[in-house]
Amino acid sequence: MTALFLSALLLSSGIRLWLSLRQAAHVRGHRDAVPVEFAGGIDLASHQKAADYTLAKGRHGRFDLAWGLVWVLLLTLGGGLQLMHDTVSTVFDPTGLWHGIALFGLLSVSGFLWELPGSLYYTFSLEARFGFNKTTAALFLSDLAKSTLISVLIGAPLLWCVLWLMRSMGAHWWIWTWGVLIAFNLAAMVIYPVFIAPLFNKFEPLKDEALAARVTQLLSRCGFRAKGLFVMDGSRRSGHGNAYFTGFGAAKRIVFYDTLLETLNPDEVEAVLAHELGHFKHRHIVQRVAVFALLSFILFALLGWLGQQDAFFNGLGVSSRSEALTLILFSLLLAPFTFPLTPLMSYWSRKHEFEADAYAVAHARADDLVSALVKLYRDNASTLTPDPLHSLFYDSHPPAAIRIAHLKAAA
Ligand SMILES: [Zn+2]
């Protein structure tokens, strides 16, 4: 088990490092000239900013990769998890469910502290250097306090329930646990936009009447009913812009980031929204949920089997046994072993983007979507010249040049 785990971990990290270095080399190689197809919309300074931003994020990503690798090795083969288990045992009865909850708590706090330097650097140095960070120290702390409180209020009872099922449901506990987690995820999709998102951002009805009228027209043209149009103060934290849908059935709402409305003209907003409607009409979200349910069913079956194998614990540096340890070790295994799925999921997502673009072209104007995309690439400093292999592996959206060529061909 140790050898298998180490090989998967090192192989997946090696591939990620190699792809990241390829991306850096490609972006650096194309830094000096704006690609011809963007020559009108993007000036050299913006292009170079995007290259520098991509390179800086890549460097940070490689640091994160190494830092995360050290953490996983410390926890497993380094005996960190066993040490945490023993520490918690000095306070809680190691056979009780509270022991498991305390172990998860200790692991979360230490994992958070381990990642803190990296995330502080990312938000307050890297993002700030490129003018994207709007988060103040006070906002960072209040976000942290709120999200901690929510994780404790929601996470602890959920975890208790899962640990109890693992203990009480016999050999098929994993089917029960899977069912509970799927139900929880569906509930979260309903609860999050209405109760949790407003704790972090302000949502106000769209005031621009002319724009609201156009959006309403687009919606009725597409046979789509929504509960409301909202503007979110995304600019409180970051300069990156976006638009999205949340909710189900008649409770659907459309949310625009204020940063998006500042950048795009009404034609472009309409085209972006038509693209988002395309995702809805093609049932991309439903498909995603279904695939997630199926994949997690397979993973839980695997977890049910692994939890009975001594080699699973011993090979990963843990001599004690508990429900919580089973879950934690499995979650550490997950990343290296599901890594080969990354390019498949990315491919699938890019296919959805093409379908949504085709829908947008049918219900709004392709030229407007193109000019909206060019503005968004420019303002988000997204690179126009990704390494093809890196893009094939990771990109959830088609590369700018290919996507725009498709749109222009459809216009
Ligand atoms: Zn999309």
Side-chain angles (χ1 to χ4, degrees), residues 275-276 279 353 356 397 403:
H275 168 95
E276 296 301 325
H279 282 307
E353 292 306 324
H397 288 64
R403 190 171 175 191

Side-chain angles (χ1 to χ4, degrees), residues 126-142:
L126 198 158
E127 287 279 295
R129 205 166 353 122
F130 291 92
F132 290 128
N133 179 48
K134 305 279 183 282
T135 308
T136 58
L139 185 60
F140 186 85
L141 288 175
S142 87

Side-chain angles (χ1 to χ4, degrees), residues 288 344-354 396-397:
R288 259 165 200 283
L344 295 177
M345 298 309 266
S346 304
Y347 169 79
W348 196 42
S349 170
R350 290 195 300 271
K351 185 169 169 283
H352 286 173
E353 292 306 324
F354 281 127
S396 60
H397 288 64

Side-chain angles (χ1 to χ4, degrees), residues 228-239:
L229 309 173
F230 294 87
V231 179
M232 189 191 101
D233 58 345
S235 57
R236 274 182 82 193
R237 290 188 182 77
S238 140

Side-chain angles (χ1 to χ4, degrees), residues 154 180-198 244-249 251-253 280 283-293:
I154 298 177
V180 165
L181 286 185
I182 295 296
F184 171 78
N185 264 299
L186 291 178
M189 288 175 80
V190 178
I191 292 169
Y192 184 84
V194 185
F195 296 103
I196 299 188
Y244 66 91
F245 285 88
T246 61
F248 282 114
K252 282 189 290 284
R253 38 170 79 187
F280 235 90
R283 303 190 162 273
H284 292 157
I285 294 132
V286 180
Q287 290 179 35
R288 259 165 200 283
V289 171
V291 165
F292 169 76

